Amino acid sequence: MKGLLVKDFYCLRKQYGIFLMTIIIVFVISIMFVFSCKYGNINKGFESMVKSGMATGNDISYIARIAMAFCFLIPMALTGNVMELFVDDRDAGFGKLAGALPVSIRKRVMSRFISGMIFTVIGCMADIIMAAVLSRLTDIITFKNYFAIIITFASLMIMYLSFLILYAYILGTEKMTLVAVLPLITGVVAVLLVNMKRLIGFIHNGIFDADIIKMLFNFIMNKSHLMFVASLVILAASYLLCVRISDLKRGVI
């Protein structure tokens, strides 16, 4: 399995520079946003909104929290690069060769999950460092809340990775464009089902309930432990299903 992981790292070597540059850019933009909120144009804009009655101080604080929180999603979003591994294997014809390797199907499937998880872990570590710095510069969100948000976003990326790999094994590498979209569709459908009552109310009344955004943000910040447990359950289920599917296909995706 170690050899398979090394192969994956070589396949993704061209992504390392993009990954590092993305983290640096997000880090710099986040710091600039914090200083602008305290001393710059964003601060002036917020003050103008409060004076004109467009928003309250609490609303402004809430907007700033949302903007800063979602910066943490960008580094971990590169977990989706695992899709490139399936494409590279397909182009190189490695799928057929893999069946002849003295590596069990379970280990081959596990190596693909580990490759994806490594990107998630690196993104998570970068976010924690960024949170430690930002929490020193502003009191908009504490480090504890930053950490909870990071765990939630990491859990979301683990779920995305789980469904991405599962759909890749189900549909095959020839439909990777569809495979990349299906996990997002699955997530949107799940959110809509959970908030079906609010959605029906919007359809009937034509009024959007802004509280749903606050509820979503509060869930991200306060229910990270539930999201993490759910992501591990989905990860384990996806792995077992992928092993079963790969076994039925005799190791050829």
Side-chain angles (χ1 to χ4, degrees):
M1 187 173 67
K2 181 179 178 181
L4 294 176
L5 291 174
V6 172
K7 174 192 71 67
D8 287 347
F9 287 137
Y10 273 109
C11 288
L12 292 174
R13 65 185 183 277
K14 57 185 177 182
Q15 303 289 337
Y16 300 154
I18 298 174
F19 188 56
L20 179 61
M21 187 60 63
T22 300
I23 292 175
I24 294 174
I25 291 174
V26 171
F27 186 57
V28 172
I29 292 176
S30 298
I31 293 177
M32 292 173 62
F33 177 80
V34 168
F35 281 116
S36 186
C37 282
K38 296 178 70 174
Y39 313 110
N41 292 331
I42 295 179
N43 180 54
K44 293 179 181 178
F46 285 163
E47 289 180 350
S48 177
M49 291 173 65
V50 173
K51 290 180 180 179
S52 63
M54 294 176 60
T56 65
N58 289 333
D59 292 334
I60 295 301
S61 178
Y62 192 80
I63 293 171
R65 289 180 182 181
I66 293 176
M68 292 176 63
F70 278 93
C71 288
F72 293 105
L73 181 60
I74 298 175
M76 283 184 287
L78 294 175
T79 300
N81 284 340
V82 71
M83 184 179 70
E84 297 296 327
L85 297 177
F86 288 101
V87 175
D88 289 343
D89 284 353
R90 179 196 65 196
D91 294 342
F94 183 77
K96 297 179 180 179
L97 174 64
L101 295 176
V103 181
S104 67
I105 290 177
R106 287 180 176 271
K107 289 184 177 180
R108 277 157 46 197
V109 174
M110 184 176 291
S111 70
R112 188 51 44 93
F113 276 88
I114 292 175
S115 296
M117 285 292 295
I118 287 175
F119 272 91
T120 304
V121 172
I122 294 175
C124 188
M125 292 174 63
D127 279 348
I128 291 174
I129 295 173
M130 187 166 67
V133 174
L134 293 179
S135 62
R136 296 277 185 174
L137 300 176
T138 179
D139 57 355
I140 295 177
I141 306 181
T142 64
F143 178 78
K144 179 181 178 181
N145 289 335
Y146 275 131
F147 186 77
I149 291 170
I150 292 170
I151 295 300
T152 299
F153 284 156
S155 300
L156 288 174
M157 293 316 304
I158 292 173
M159 293 178 188
Y160 175 81
L161 174 70
S162 301
F163 283 110
L164 177 70
I165 297 177
L166 177 60
Y167 288 134
Y169 274 86
I170 292 174
L171 299 177
T173 55
E174 298 300 326
K175 299 180 180 179
M176 288 308 296
T177 301
L178 178 61
V179 167
V181 176
L182 282 178
L184 299 176
I185 296 176
T186 302
V188 171
V189 171
V191 172
L192 291 177
L193 290 175
V194 171
N195 296 280
M196 184 59 67
K197 290 184 179 180
R198 291 181 180 273
L199 179 62
I200 293 174
F202 172 71
I203 295 174
H204 281 252
N205 304 321
I207 300 175
F208 178 72
D209 187 356
D211 287 341
I212 192 172
I213 298 178
K214 293 184 178 180
M215 289 176 60
L216 177 61
F217 183 74
N218 289 332
F219 181 86
I220 290 173
M221 194 162 55
N222 300 320
K223 303 295 183 180
S224 58
H225 58 290
L226 296 179
M227 291 292 292
F228 185 66
V229 172
S231 68
L232 294 182
V233 172
I234 292 174
L235 180 69
S238 176
Y239 168 73
L240 294 175
L241 287 171
C242 288
V243 170
R244 178 58 179 167
I245 293 169
S246 183
D247 188 48
L248 292 174
K249 293 183 177 182
R250 297 183 180 181
V252 179
I253 304 176

